[in-house]
Amino acid sequence: MYQLLHEDFNIVRSPKSYNSQIGVPLSVWQAGEEHSLGIFEAGISQNGEMEALQELINPTIGILTNLGEAHNEGFANPEEKLTEKWKLFKNASTIICNADTLLLVPAIAVDKRIKSWGRKGSFLKITAINKKAPFTSIDGLHKGIKISITIPFTDNASIENAISCWCTLLHLKISTETIATRMDLLRTVEMRLQLKRAINNCSVINDSYSNDISSLEIALDFLQQQAGNQSSSVILSDLGESTSSVAYDRVAQMVAFSRAQKFIGIGPQMQLYADHFSKQISRCYFYSTVEDFKQHFSFNKFKDEVILLKGARTFQFEQIDLLFEQQMHQTVLEVNLTAMVQNLKEYQRYVKPETKIMAMVKAFSYGSGSAEVASVLQFHKVDYLAVAYADEGVELRKSGISMPIMVMNPEVVTFQALVDYNLEPELYSFEILKAFDAYLLEEGMKQFPVHIKLDTGMHRLGFEKDDVNKLATLLKNNDRFIIKSVFSHLVASDDPTHDSFTRQQVSLFEAACQQFEIAIRYPFLKHVSNSAAIFRHPVFQFNMVRLGIGLYGVDSSALGTLNLTPVATFKTTIAQIRKVKAGESIGYSRKGILEKDSTIATIRVGYADGFSRRLGNWKGQVFIKGQLVPVIGNVCMDMTMIDITGIEDAKEGDLVELFGPNLPVQQVAAWCDTIPYEIMTSVSHRVKRVYYEE
Ligand SMILES: *Cc1c(COP(=O)(O)O)cnc(C)c1O
């Protein structure tokens, strides 16, 4: 109504669905001297409520949109409900409503103020409704003249609402031509049935407002419309009202009839009546609470489909909606979890079956996000995870990762967290070892799992060759620790020119391990290999390897023999396109001077997102519409300009790949004079990570 009338009136209106005993006062409160029309929604759930709302709104025109089945429990019967609703119109001079509704209460039907619509409507007689997606044309007879409108919706709820508005505009003497033009331009109101683009190429219809049978019917209708040939899923809470088995059976039938492939029921009643659904729908899942659902359902199960999210308000389905929303943000790092599993399998081909794998998930899994990545690795039976700092490990534990986790850089202040969350520290010096030993003694703990790090040439962290004797003796008489593993790190396993140094590192390591083996009488794991070594030095695998960058699809050995798939795609969209004349400059400090007339696009990414400033001024390129184009001028904090001259079909909103399958991160790293590790871990945390499985 607002969209149709805002050119003629200065309108004050209800924000969203502010229609309750509290919502209405808040809405009316907004009205000021400047307004010439107020549009307010009033809703009631039991007898006696409408009188209060009537006094607050005291409308001149009343519009009864839909009697519906919502809040039926508050009324003895539909007649009583209609009679109560009618009280709102006490002083109204005109009442617009569907003629069919009036049949319910003959006493009301004779009200002289009524202007009715519908097949039997007296004010506007509807003669035809033709749906032809995405439009519906509606014909009617008004004062004996044939008129029609076309609206950009095809669901029944929108059609009914449009007809109510149509009547109101006719009543306000807006010309039929103007009405037709404005109807054509209507947009979806983000209130109840909203359809949004969501993760994994899905669309979500979010009706997390109410859940009763009649609104469900409308929503399922909308779902079916929107899904077309795509698959669809329904996520439904307990019904707001009726609790009978019969009601749930009816709902199950309706869902089955809508041809939804997946059904997710949330709430104790849903669980109770699960059988009704399982009988008729092939894939059903039930959860007692939204929290339960969020924790145990993998959102990657949703892909290329339309999802109806419909829950009674108390269930707070907004929480679920938020999880679907991720992709709304224009700049994203898409993480292909399937590719990661393929990479893991590829490395497994080069790892002896008895050798364990420790996956490196430090630094937010090389930028790709921790909990999501770790759950996949846990599922695929990787043996160990490693993080750099204790808080990274705590985060993993909090999101339900139960497999062993090694922390490479423990600090005294994190000892408590290590113990509380069962995280296994790397001990690299006598200082840290003694401090942790003292802590365990104080806590009365025994047999706490730890890892011993040896420095064999990296000169970063670790015990040195000369420390080994003393260390072995110390550990021998200590029952507070249990040594899970002894390890070292290779400095140049990817580089053939340093292969003899690599071998030297390994012999130092082996010698040290022998000393430990004599001192400690139980077995422990030994490991030195990172991604490059796994492939280049298979003889150094010992009984565990530490897989890092290879997991994320980058072949650090650079031999090209491994069949790896990039896991992360960093992408953004075009915000604006313009033609710029030769001689003009682009961006800060006039660095990007154009040699010829050019088409310049501004993209929604800058150095604050991790798009390096070193890529500016023709150094770097981005991938758009099948080709690489150069970055023009200095990269800004949140935006960057690129030269798309010659790409005729590029338009605003188009996707631009910054690295990914079409533009290897290795290439971007080379432009920036750095290594892929830095590019990957620099993608800022404000960039949303979107996970998907193929
Ligand atoms: C990061 C890291 C690895 C993994 O290295 P990649 O080159 O990414 O495979 C292995 N070991 C240690 C100690 C590390 O810090």
Side-chain angles (χ1 to χ4, degrees):
M1 193 74 82
Y2 171 81
Q3 285 178 28
L4 294 165
L5 288 172
H6 72 104
E7 287 173 43
D8 308 305
F9 297 94
N10 189 350
I11 298 175
V12 54
R13 55 188 167 134
S14 307
K16 300 245 174 204
S17 294
Y18 280 33
N19 65 5
S20 65
Q21 299 285 299
I22 295 170
V24 168
L26 287 172
S27 307
V28 172
W29 208 322
Q30 299 185 355
E33 292 285 337
E34 68 279 16
H35 295 119
S36 55
L37 180 71
I39 304 175
F40 300 108
E41 182 177 329
I44 50 169
S45 48
Q46 58 194 23
N47 259 323
E49 286 187 342
M50 199 52 107
E51 259 146 335
L53 300 186
Q54 190 281 325
E55 281 180 38
L56 284 161
I57 306 176
N58 195 19
T60 45
I61 303 173
I63 303 169
L64 185 71
T65 49
N66 187 344
L67 199 57
E69 289 192 30
H71 307 300
N72 273 350
E73 70 270 42
F75 303 93
N77 50 48
E79 292 88 319
E80 183 182 299
K81 188 159 143 189
L82 181 60
T83 311
E84 176 70 15
K85 287 197 168 190
W86 210 257
K87 288 183 183 158
L88 178 64
F89 307 140
K90 190 172 157 198
N91 297 325
S93 53
T94 305
I95 301 167
I96 290 162
C97 80
N98 186 336
D100 292 343
T101 311
L102 295 172
L103 298 175
L104 280 175
V105 189
I108 280 178
V110 297
D111 194 321
K112 289 277 178 296
R113 303 170 296 167
I114 293 174
K115 292 191 167 170
S116 69
W117 59 268
R119 301 266 172 204
K120 302 190 196 72
S122 58
F123 182 67
L124 178 61
K125 185 177 163 63
I126 301 300
T127 53
I129 297 179
N130 286 310
K131 299 184 186 183
K132 199 169 175 204
F135 300 101
T136 303
S137 60
I138 310 167
D139 297 335
L141 270 178
H142 173 60
K143 296 187 174 163
I145 299 165
K146 184 177 175 247
I147 53 177
S148 37
I149 57 168
T150 302
I151 54 169
F153 313 104
T154 52
D155 63 286
N156 295 335
S158 298
I159 293 170
E160 287 193 13
N161 287 336
I163 298 174
S164 289
C165 291
W166 195 6
C167 285
T168 312
L169 268 71
L170 288 168
H171 168 71
L172 291 170
K173 306 250 179 313
I174 313 277
S175 79
T176 49
E177 297 78 35
T178 309
I179 295 176
T181 322
R182 292 180 187 173
M183 285 286 180
D184 210 23
L185 298 174
L186 281 176
R187 283 167 289 111
T188 316
V189 180
E190 295 250 326
M191 194 159 60
R192 301 226 186 135
L193 294 183
Q194 43 178 279
L195 181 80
K196 293 188 296 190
R197 266 173 47 71
I199 52 164
N200 301 346
N201 202 28
C202 291
S203 302
V204 171
I205 299 165
N206 178 11
D207 191 2
S208 55
Y209 170 78
S210 66
N211 196 14
D212 56 79
I213 292 184
S214 72
S215 71
L216 177 63
E217 200 155 21
I218 293 170
L220 286 171
D221 178 47
F222 189 59
L223 173 70
Q224 226 179 333
Q225 297 276 353
Q226 293 297 328
N229 299 329
Q230 271 182 301
S231 36
S232 59
S233 292
V234 175
I235 306 177
L236 210 62
S237 76
D238 282 354
L239 295 177
E241 32 183 325
S242 173
T243 55
S244 70
S245 165
V246 182
Y248 280 89
D249 196 42
R250 168 134 183 250
V251 169
Q253 276 172 21
M254 284 160 60
V255 175
F257 184 72
S258 80
R259 295 198 298 271
Q261 281 89 345
K262 271 200 293 295
F263 177 78
I264 293 149
I266 298 179
Q269 291 180 27
M270 279 291 176
Q271 287 183 313
L272 186 62
Y273 298 121
D275 284 354
H276 293 310
F277 296 88
S278 316
K279 266 197 326 233
Q280 322 193 37
I281 306 155
S282 59
R283 286 152 72 199
C284 292
Y285 309 81
F286 297 90
Y287 300 92
S288 57
T289 59
V290 166
E291 210 38 59
D292 193 23
F293 166 66
K294 274 166 58 186
Q295 267 185 15
H296 297 107
F297 191 85
S298 161
F299 273 60
N300 297 307
K301 286 210 175 86
F302 294 111
K303 193 160 201 293
D304 301 318
E305 60 184 297
V306 184
I307 303 152
L308 172 65
L309 193 57
K310 190 151 169 55
R313 241 180 300 187
T314 45
F315 280 87
Q316 303 195 328
F317 268 20
E318 311 90 278
Q319 292 179 45
I320 304 176
D321 193 38
L322 271 183
L323 295 176
F324 280 119
E325 227 170 49
Q326 288 156 318
Q327 220 173 29
M328 297 287 285
H329 300 263
Q330 301 270 11
T331 301
V332 297
L333 188 80
E334 235 177 47
V335 179
N336 180 347
L337 297 170
T338 309
M340 193 177 71
V341 173
Q342 281 164 7
N343 295 336
L344 175 66
K345 299 235 158 90
E346 179 69 4
Y347 276 95
Q348 275 168 342
R349 291 175 45 203
Y350 297 90
V351 175
K352 284 173 274 157
E354 65 274 19
T355 303
K356 294 186 185 312
I357 294 184
M358 172 183 266
M360 309 307 284
V361 294
K362 61 194 179 191
F364 205 46
S365 297
Y366 290 49
S368 293
S370 28
E372 295 78 4
V373 166
S375 334
V376 173
L377 295 170
Q378 177 165 275
F379 181 81
H380 286 275
K381 304 269 185 282
V382 160
D383 303 277
Y384 251 99
L385 294 178
V387 294
Y389 294 97
D391 48 2
E392 295 177 326
V394 171
E395 203 200 313
L396 292 178
R397 285 279 182 260
K398 282 187 175 161
S399 42
I401 302 298
S402 55
M403 60 191 287
I405 300 176
M406 178 175 86
V407 175
M408 294 192 289
N409 212 327
E411 299 158 86
V412 175
V413 291
T414 62
F415 286 168
Q416 179 76 45
L418 292 175
V419 171
D420 287 351
Y421 291 94
N422 194 19
L423 303 169
E424 308 176 7
E426 153 187 330
L427 302 179
Y428 54 84
S429 70
F430 287 113
E431 286 71 29
I432 194 84
L433 185 148
K434 283 182 180 147
F436 194 54
D437 190 27
Y439 178 82
L440 293 177
L441 178 68
E442 203 172 296
E443 297 287 301
M445 308 228 13
K446 283 205 161 79
Q447 306 272 313
F448 197 86
V450 297
H451 302 261
I452 302 295
K453 173 74 162 290
L454 303 173
D455 177 16
T456 56
M458 178 83 172
H459 303 325
R460 188 170 65 179
L461 294 180
F463 290 98
E464 301 198 1
K465 184 163 150 251
D466 297 341
D467 299 331
V468 174
N469 245 333
K470 184 178 161 196
L471 182 61
T473 323
L474 237 169
L475 293 174
K476 183 175 161 182
N477 303 316
N478 187 318
D479 64 346
R480 281 180 289 284
F481 301 133
I482 175 154
I483 313 297
K484 283 286 174 185
S485 83
V486 175
F487 73 109
S488 189
H489 196 33
L490 302 174
V491 303
S493 64
D494 55 333
D495 188 348
T497 58
H498 294 302
D499 278 353
S500 66
F501 187 81
T502 303
R503 280 191 290 274
Q504 185 188 317
Q505 279 195 281
V506 175
S507 27
L508 272 175
F509 175 72
E510 280 180 308
C513 283
Q514 262 164 23
Q515 278 178 278
F516 284 120
E517 264 164 355
I518 295 164
I520 318 167
R521 308 216 160 248
Y522 53 84
F524 53 85
L525 297 169
K526 289 176 259 178
H527 47 115
V528 291
S529 292
N530 59 359
S531 304
I534 293 173
F535 182 65
R536 290 201 61 245
H537 304 284
V539 290
F540 301 152
Q541 286 180 4
F542 297 97
N543 36 28
M544 186 150 80
V545 294
R546 300 189 303 272
L547 180 56
I549 195 137
L551 198 51
Y552 309 98
V554 174
D555 179 4
S556 51
S557 64
L559 292 176
T561 339
L562 282 167
N563 183 14
L564 301 181
T565 317
V567 167
T569 307
F570 189 17
K571 57 190 195 185
T572 187
T573 52
I574 296 182
Q576 195 178 20
I577 295 178
R578 75 179 77 243
K579 304 266 184 216
V580 186
K581 292 258 174 257
E584 291 278 324
S585 64
I586 307 294
Y588 282 122
S589 314
R590 306 211 66 204
K591 292 280 192 225
I593 300 200
L594 297 179
E595 287 181 353
K596 53 179 175 36
D597 293 0
S598 308
T599 311
I600 303 298
T602 303
I603 57 176
R604 295 182 168 99
V605 70
Y607 56 77
D609 299 294
F611 188 75
S612 174
R613 201 164 171 281
R614 287 170 284 186
L615 293 165
N617 300 309
W618 296 281
K619 269 266 187 58
Q621 302 184 353
V622 299
F623 182 85
I624 169 171
K625 298 251 168 211
Q627 69 186 80
L628 290 171
V629 303
V631 175
I632 301 299
N634 283 322
V635 172
C636 310
M637 189 185 288
D638 313 297
M639 271 168 278
T640 298
M641 278 68 88
I642 57 174
D643 187 345
I644 57 163
T645 310
I647 306 182
E648 301 303 337
D649 58 340
K651 52 186 190 317
E652 288 165 10
D654 277 355
L655 280 177
V656 178
E657 183 177 315
L658 308 165
F659 67 69
N662 300 297
L663 173 52
V665 65
Q666 291 93 319
Q667 174 62 71
V668 178
W671 286 327
C672 293
D673 230 345
T674 183
I675 51 176
Y677 299 73
E678 188 184 348
I679 302 295
M680 291 161 68
T681 54
S682 296
V683 176
S684 122
H685 276 243
R686 88 171 180 193
V687 174
K688 286 276 183 278
R689 268 65 176 173
V690 179
Y691 303 90
Y692 70 99
E693 283 173 12
E694 280 175 345

